[in-house]
Amino acid sequence: MENSINIKLKVWRQAGPKAKGRFETYELSNISTDSSFLEMFDILNEQLINKGEEPVAFDHDCREGICGMCSLYINGRPHGPDDDVTTCQLHMRKFKDGQTITIEPWRSAGFPVIKDLIVDRTAFDQIIASGGYVSVNTGGIPDANAIPIPKPDADEAMDAASCIGCGACVAACKNGSAMLFVSAKVSQMALLPQGRVEATRRAKNMVAKMDELGFGNCTNTGACEVECPKGISLANIARLNREFLKASLQD
Amino acid sequence: MVKIDAKIPEGPMAQKWENYKANQKLVNPANKRKLDIIVVGTGLAGASAAASFGEMGFNVKVFTIQDSPRRAHSIAAQGGINAAKNYPNDGDSVYRLFYDTVKGGDYRAREANVHRLAEVSNSIIDQCVAQGVPFAREYGGLLDNRSFGGAQVSRTFYAKGQTGQQLLLGAYQALMRQVNAGSVKLYTRNEMVEIVMVDGKARGIISRNLVTGKLERHFGHAVVLATGGYGNTFFLSTNAMGSNGSAAWKAYKKGAMFANPCFAQIHPTCIPVHGEFQSKLTLMSESLRNDGRIWVPKKKEDAEAIRAGKLKPTEIAEEDRDYYLERRYPAFGNLVPRDVASRAAKERCDAGYGVGNTGLAVYLDFKSSIDRLGSDAIKARYGNLFQMYEKIVDDNPYETPMMIYPAIHYTMGGIWVDYELQTSVPGLFSAGEANFSDHGANRLGASALMQGLADGYFVLPYTIQNYLADDIATPRMTTEEKEFEEAEKAAKGHFEKLISIKGNRSVDSIHKELGLVMWDFVGMARNKEGLQEAIEKIQAIKKEFWSNVRIPGSEEDMNIELEKAARLADFIEIGDLMARDALHREESCGGHFREEFQTEEGEALRQDDKFAYSGCWEFKGDDQEPELHKEELKFEVVKLVQRNYK
Ligand SMILES: Cc1cc2nc3c(=O)[nH]c(=O)nc-3n(C[C@H](O)[C@H](O)[C@H](O)COP(=O)(O)OP(=O)(O)OC[C@H]3O[C@@H](n4cnc5c(N)ncnc54)[C@H](O)[C@@H]3O)c2cc1C
Ligand code: SF4
Ligand code: FES
């Protein structure tokens, strides 16, 4: 049952935001193909620590594909070679014995490197802060069933809402655009009566914030949709564009 | 000496909360602006509290160890959230939700808190819908409900299998709206490492900026800890990798009592451990037990052949399978509560009938359901779970049975709080999984999300005012004061000491050792000798840690090994207190099973005459034994009876 492989890793190491980075090469043997990609990293780090070296810093938390914390550019693809999964859900059975695996951080103007493979994605929080919500306070709210919502709308809103904020869409985009992320939130809210009220204002503010933070323009390459681990659809970008158009007509 | 006063309001159970609100002190808008509140944690409890405080006009500082508030462990909750809406008209009510929660907790929770939880549950659903949380709906456009363990009604609201994610995003967005408005200041990748006490009150924190390694001082008129549970004491658990008990432990060392540490929940349906480098365990939703049948081989030879890879489960004839839950519990079968199902799996594996290459797994078989309903029906119900299983294990559960094994999942114990969610340290509050308040010895499914949001949206915004109303004349302190300086010095000393050990072992290797001791002796089934042995073993691990851990790098930089080491230092002590609490509690109740206290059929046996209390531990000094205080539980409304699932 148990299979194991030997692999060579080329890992990006960078001591700090301003330090110069470089690739380091490491060899690992007898990696069980049942282990996850991040467990393979744990093994690497255990070996580095035992040699007295600094382990490789990388982001992760839930390790089940939902928190959006893990990142990594693996052999040129955000979240690696498997489809519809995050890096933490990737398993070593997707790699061959003797293979060289190149691992880099997300590379994008909007996400500066903090250390090794860790990048700063707080720009996403700033975009949400600029309008990614319904403006209601706690309490004094009508009954949850006061406004019926057609099931197809609710389901579509749920699909858009399943974005985990990982940033793979930005990392995959040659322009470094955050349109897929922004459009997922704008769509979710625009589809629901509670969010509809502020839909145009929200679209305008979030796009303005995205531009201000140095993310690039969307030229419809579609690379984001391919790499998104949660299957967020390009249709959301079309909806965002419609909201945005409405906003500019109102100005 | 701490005095235990739960501050339960006067009046009949159903009116206590109303009475409280009618008589509490409030802070007027002009004064709110002069008051600072620190919230540590941005899970459901912390994010909802911080957002609400900001909306009310307080100055809020909120802290999280992740890079964004949206990544708190709450994001991973799958199944749903309870509320007493009674939309399906199936006989639910505030009383019934209250009753089910007290009973499900095996009569070890404080009635007044649980009743309030049930009362505010409905407002949570209203609030979340208003925020744009996309709950599942029926074709008529109204909200859909499902049923969950421990209840005879359908009261669980859900958003696909991602309920925690959607609720947290709702709270996170409310929080970011306040950040935008300037009422909340957000500190990410920033870990609280010490609580600052001034004249016996909590007045701030020392935190470590995880990017630069620098220590920071923050003042607050009050401090709220919403830092989650301590399940990761076991190393392997369903919790996120960063979940930890350190903030609670710092509070304990500053005089906050720690209540019922031994009450931990083991979930029966998790993907089994595959090897020594396993880093965490993945939960498979409890709902699978509705259609899956649990079994192991009847013959030991078969189990051995399976473990050796010579036999497949599908090759075992029907009469050679032992459907042990159906055999032992004919009335409930595969749907017995979490603790009963978990112990039964362990019993079979310990007896040598376990499967998988480790022998620590049992089968969850969907064959008869697929034969009966067709694989499309099963796919519609569990498709996403089957896919997740296949990605991890590389086996197709439509064709071969799933393998499952129990794992640590949730901690009911935590920081002791009174009715106002205030700890035994004045000005220090605690919310969510970090406190011990509502679930007694066992938590029902879909009730943790409810409690986190109840605490944050609808309880603390009231009760914290009752405290702060007396503080309106207290000016903001500068953090140059000696109390801040001393607290920072203590924290700095702690990190320097850790770095200077320069031993030979990684943090994880010691954490794994602790986890094994916890699992073997303080896990699903406990006994006196085992617990005594655990306490000794944990002492040895503590010694090993403080003399032999190796942390590369420096403390004045991003240093992930140092973060882990500081948390492990606390897990080791938490493990010790869990074992002590389990040893002292000579009864079985909920998630705490003492082998000496069971019926002839192996069921948990409570000792209500001796143990109908919450065990509250007071820190007495690093080399001293902690002191036990008892909060007697008075049951005014619910009658105590033995659970029976036969
Ligand atoms: C896999 C899984 C599935 C679950 N499913 C369900 C379900 O279906 N229904 C249900 O009701 N419950 C479920 N639960 C339980 C529930 O998810 C948790 O109990 C709940 O989300 C805890 O929320 P919280 O706000 O108390 O803490 P958490 O969400 O754990 O948040 C803790 C916060 O504290 C921060 N923090 C911790 N320490 C520090 C520190 N020292 N300094 C600064 N910040 C700190 C963290 O960064 C984080 O922001 C599930 C749990 C798991 C593991
Ligand atoms: S849209 Fe997809 S790739 Fe982009 S942040 Fe969301 S989940 Fe990640
Ligand atoms: S670690 Fe949470 S999504 Fe990968």
Side-chain angles (χ1 to χ4, degrees):
Chain A
M1 255 162 86
E2 177 109 334
N3 280 319
S4 58
I5 53 175
N6 300 331
I7 46 170
K8 197 186 218 179
L9 301 176
K10 277 176 68 189
V11 182
W12 185 259
R13 304 291 317 249
Q14 182 171 338
K18 300 214 175 66
K20 208 165 159 291
R22 63 187 191 288
F23 280 107
E24 286 283 343
T25 305
Y26 305 102
E27 296 197 10
L28 285 180
S29 42
N30 279 323
I31 299 297
S32 159
T33 50
D34 280 341
S35 47
S36 72
F37 194 82
L38 295 185
E39 283 165 0
M40 179 274 289
F41 251 77
D42 294 339
I43 297 172
L44 168 68
N45 278 344
E46 177 79 21
Q47 291 181 5
L48 293 176
I49 294 164
N50 289 337
K51 281 195 281 182
E53 293 174 30
E54 265 205 63
V56 182
F58 63 95
D59 264 334
H60 65 103
D61 199 24
C62 73
R63 294 207 178 186
E64 48 189 63
I66 192 75
C67 72
M69 188 101 179
C70 63
S71 47
L72 305 189
Y73 215 72
I74 302 165
N75 284 346
R77 284 187 67 183
H79 294 303
D82 203 356
D83 290 330
D84 299 328
V85 296
T86 52
T87 292
C88 62
Q89 294 173 297
L90 177 65
H91 278 73
M92 293 311 291
R93 60 181 82 94
K94 293 284 166 194
F95 298 92
K96 289 195 231 24
D97 190 37
Q99 193 173 348
T100 298
I101 308 174
T102 306
I103 303 150
E104 298 167 76
W106 283 173
R107 296 206 187 274
S108 188
F111 298 153
V113 172
I114 295 176
K115 183 173 183 173
D116 293 341
L117 303 170
I118 295 183
V119 299
D120 181 350
R121 285 171 289 191
T122 47
F124 270 12
D125 291 326
Q126 294 179 51
I127 293 175
I128 295 292
S130 72
Y133 39 74
V134 178
S135 300
V136 290
N137 286 353
T138 304
I141 299 283
D143 185 85
N145 261 347
I147 310 174
I149 301 176
K151 183 170 161 55
D153 291 353
D155 288 349
E156 212 185 331
M158 176 64 224
D159 287 342
S162 57
C163 162
I164 57 174
C166 63
C169 46
V170 177
C173 176
K174 68 178 170 52
N175 308 320
S177 170
M179 276 297 262
L180 195 62
F181 168 78
V182 173
S183 69
K185 188 52 65 190
V186 167
S187 283
Q188 175 205 342
M189 296 299 186
L191 282 159
L192 300 169
Q194 290 83 3
R196 187 66 246 163
V197 184
E198 301 167 271
T200 38
R201 189 168 77 116
R202 177 181 304 114
K204 202 174 121 196
N205 289 345
M206 289 179 77
V207 170
K209 189 50 125 186
M210 173 179 85
D211 292 344
E212 178 198 320
L213 292 170
F215 291 96
N217 289 325
C218 173
T219 55
N220 287 313
T221 68
C224 52
E225 186 188 53
V226 175
E227 299 299 355
C228 172
K230 295 294 146 182
I232 302 296
S233 140
L234 284 178
N236 292 304
I237 297 189
R239 186 175 288 107
L240 167 61
N241 285 335
R242 284 198 298 277
E243 292 300 339
F244 195 69
L245 197 67
K246 275 191 227 162
S248 16
L249 290 176
Q250 281 166 12
D251 279 349
Chain B
M1 224 333 266
V2 232
K3 197 173 111 282
I4 296 189
D5 178 5
K7 294 198 233 152
I8 300 169
E10 296 297 318
M13 195 57 66
Q15 277 153 37
K16 285 183 190 295
W17 182 228
E18 287 306 319
N19 285 351
Y20 177 88
K21 288 192 291 186
N23 294 308
Q24 70 163 116
K25 288 172 272 187
L26 296 173
V27 180
N28 79 23
N31 285 327
K32 284 194 185 111
R33 283 194 289 277
K34 293 189 231 149
L35 294 169
D36 298 351
I37 305 177
I38 287 177
V39 178
V40 189
T42 63
L44 288 178
S48 58
S52 304
F53 296 153
E55 291 160 7
M56 291 159 74
F58 291 107
N59 287 294
V60 184
K61 284 184 167 185
V62 66
F63 294 79
T64 171
I65 57 176
Q66 282 89 11
D67 68 334
S68 164
R70 67 181 290 153
R71 308 211 201 278
H73 165 60
S74 295
I75 201 93
Q78 304 169 350
I81 177 167
N82 288 332
K85 282 283 193 187
N86 193 29
Y87 286 154
N89 197 26
D90 56 0
D92 203 8
S93 63
V94 166
Y95 178 80
R96 191 172 286 274
L97 175 54
F98 155 73
Y99 175 85
D100 286 349
T101 308
V102 172
K103 178 185 171 205
D106 224 353
Y107 310 98
R108 291 295 175 265
R110 190 190 289 148
E111 277 189 331
N113 284 53
V114 179
H115 201 279
R116 175 179 62 193
L117 174 66
E119 283 172 61
V120 304
S121 66
N122 292 339
S123 306
I124 297 173
I125 305 302
D126 299 341
Q127 187 67 36
C128 295
V129 167
Q131 290 170 344
V133 169
F135 282 122
R137 287 176 183 268
E138 293 170 341
Y139 280 102
L142 302 183
L143 293 162
D144 190 22
N145 286 122
R146 58 163 65 145
S147 59
F148 239 70
Q152 291 164 308
V153 294
S154 288
R155 63 161 72 103
T156 306
F157 294 78
Y158 65 101
K160 275 202 173 160
Q162 290 138 261
T163 317
Q165 177 194 34
Q166 294 311 315
L167 298 176
L168 183 61
L169 292 182
Y172 155 73
Q173 286 157 198
L175 178 68
M176 294 316 290
R177 175 170 165 250
Q178 292 309 305
V179 170
N180 197 43
S183 59
V184 174
K185 198 155 165 23
L186 175 63
Y187 296 83
T188 58
R189 294 196 198 263
N190 205 309
E191 180 161 3
M192 182 212 101
V193 293
E194 194 59 274
I195 293 163
V196 181
M197 302 284 298
V198 179
D199 298 332
K201 292 179 174 164
R203 288 294 190 202
I205 64 168
I206 304 297
S207 71
R208 183 165 178 273
N209 180 322
L210 300 180
V211 175
T212 62
K214 296 261 184 324
L215 295 176
E216 300 172 0
R217 306 173 184 186
H218 300 277
F219 167 80
H221 288 89
V223 177
V224 177
L225 300 184
T227 47
Y230 51 92
N232 275 347
T233 310
F234 285 70
F235 186 73
L236 288 180
S237 84
T238 61
N239 291 7
M241 303 298 287
S243 294
N244 70 89
S246 287
W249 202 245
K250 302 295 181 224
Y252 170 69
K253 292 204 163 173
K254 284 283 189 283
M257 283 187 294
F258 206 105
N260 301 331
C262 81
F263 289 165
Q265 183 169 78
I266 305 224
H267 200 292
T269 51
C270 300
I271 299 180
V273 177
H274 65 71
E276 151 192 24
F277 278 101
Q278 180 110 14
S279 56
K280 78 155 274 177
L281 296 169
T282 303
L283 178 82
M284 288 275 107
S285 169
E286 176 154 42
S287 59
L288 291 170
R289 286 199 278 145
N290 283 308
D291 287 300
R293 296 177 71 195
I294 295 176
W295 64 277
V296 291
K298 228 178 230 168
K299 297 188 203 142
K300 258 192 195 154
E301 315 85 88
D302 286 350
E304 279 158 16
I306 285 179
R307 293 201 289 270
K310 289 183 203 140
L311 196 64
K312 291 200 178 85
T314 42
E315 292 165 354
I316 297 193
E318 200 53 38
E319 62 272 18
D320 291 330
R321 300 175 175 197
D322 177 11
Y323 295 93
Y324 57 87
L325 287 177
E326 297 169 28
R327 169 169 59 79
R328 286 180 64 181
Y329 307 99
F332 275 69
N334 294 297
L335 287 173
V336 292
R338 289 177 177 176
D339 53 334
V340 179
S342 298
R343 279 197 303 278
K346 175 175 156 55
E347 190 276 331
R348 282 294 79 191
C349 293
D350 288 353
Y353 296 91
V355 296
N357 49 4
T358 58
L360 292 176
V362 300
Y363 290 125
L364 177 62
D365 199 334
F366 293 88
K367 178 143 193 326
S368 32
S369 295
I370 291 175
D371 290 347
R372 188 163 38 92
L373 304 164
S375 63
D376 284 348
I378 294 300
K379 188 172 186 175
R381 281 182 202 171
Y382 311 112
N384 59 337
L385 292 169
F386 278 31
Q387 186 218 8
M388 178 153 105
Y389 182 86
E390 192 168 351
K391 287 276 185 206
I392 295 175
V393 183
D394 206 21
D395 254 353
N396 180 349
Y398 295 97
E399 282 159 17
T400 186
M402 265 187 191
M403 285 188 287
I404 53 162
Y405 201 64
I408 272 282
H409 178 58
Y410 182 87
T411 49
M412 282 75 67
I415 310 175
W416 181 87
V417 287
D418 61 18
Y419 188 76
E420 300 186 297
L421 304 185
Q422 185 161 208
T423 71
S424 31
V425 171
L428 184 64
F429 294 76
S430 180
E433 191 174 339
N435 75 27
F436 90 118
S437 73
D438 296 348
H439 307 293
N442 177 50
R443 172 180 71 76
L444 292 181
S447 284
L449 302 183
M450 171 174 67
Q451 183 223 332
L453 290 181
D455 289 358
Y457 285 135
F458 297 110
V459 179
L460 276 175
Y462 291 90
T463 60
I464 207 162
Q465 289 194 69
N466 200 36
Y467 174 79
L468 289 174
D470 293 335
D471 247 356
I472 48 176
T474 311
R476 285 194 179 104
M477 282 175 77
T478 88
T479 53
E480 304 303 310
E481 302 283 345
K482 69 169 190 316
E483 287 88 351
F484 282 87
E485 196 176 322
E486 278 162 14
E488 182 182 320
K489 220 167 123 197
K492 192 164 193 303
H494 186 67
F495 287 112
E496 283 170 355
K497 193 167 155 200
L498 284 166
I499 286 269
S500 69
I501 298 169
K502 298 201 190 313
N504 290 313
R505 289 184 60 185
S506 71
V507 177
D508 281 359
S509 76
I510 301 177
H511 198 166
K512 284 180 189 177
E513 197 179 322
L514 173 70
L516 286 177
V517 171
M518 295 304 293
W519 185 246
D520 288 343
F521 301 104
V522 200
M524 268 182 279
R526 305 156 169 180
N527 62 53
K528 185 171 178 196
E529 289 70 39
L531 289 164
Q532 284 166 338
E533 196 176 332
I535 293 171
E536 275 168 35
K537 288 198 145 95
I538 294 169
Q539 285 313 316
I541 292 172
K542 186 171 178 179
K543 228 165 134 189
E544 171 75 1
F545 174 84
W546 283 104
S547 58
N548 204 16
V549 74
R550 170 187 284 180
I551 304 163
S554 103
E555 74 265 25
E556 297 228 323
D557 187 9
M558 176 176 257
N559 189 334
I560 290 161
E561 288 302 300
L562 181 61
E563 292 166 28
K564 290 199 293 191
R567 292 175 203 149
L568 176 57
D570 297 330
F571 279 134
I572 294 172
E573 296 182 6
I574 293 172
D576 174 78
L577 195 68
M578 288 179 80
R580 283 175 199 275
D581 188 44
L583 181 63
H584 115 276
R585 191 168 277 276
E586 295 187 321
E587 66 164 348
S588 295
C589 61
H592 170 64
F593 189 78
R594 281 285 298 264
E595 287 168 346
E596 303 95 318
F597 301 91
Q598 51 180 311
T599 64
E600 271 173 29
E601 295 91 21
E603 305 307 335
L605 207 56
R606 287 196 326 266
Q607 306 288 310
D608 291 332
D609 52 336
K610 299 196 202 81
F611 290 96
Y613 63 77
S614 297
C616 312
W617 296 90
E618 183 191 359
F619 178 69
K620 290 296 215 182
D622 273 319
D623 302 312
Q624 308 282 320
E625 304 249 321
E627 186 180 337
L628 178 71
H629 305 272
K630 299 175 184 174
E631 182 196 336
E632 298 294 340
L633 298 170
K634 289 189 204 70
F635 292 90
E636 292 175 23
V637 179
V638 178
K639 279 206 180 50
L640 279 64
V641 289
Q642 204 73 32
R643 300 191 304 171
N644 181 12
Y645 297 100
K646 288 257 162 200

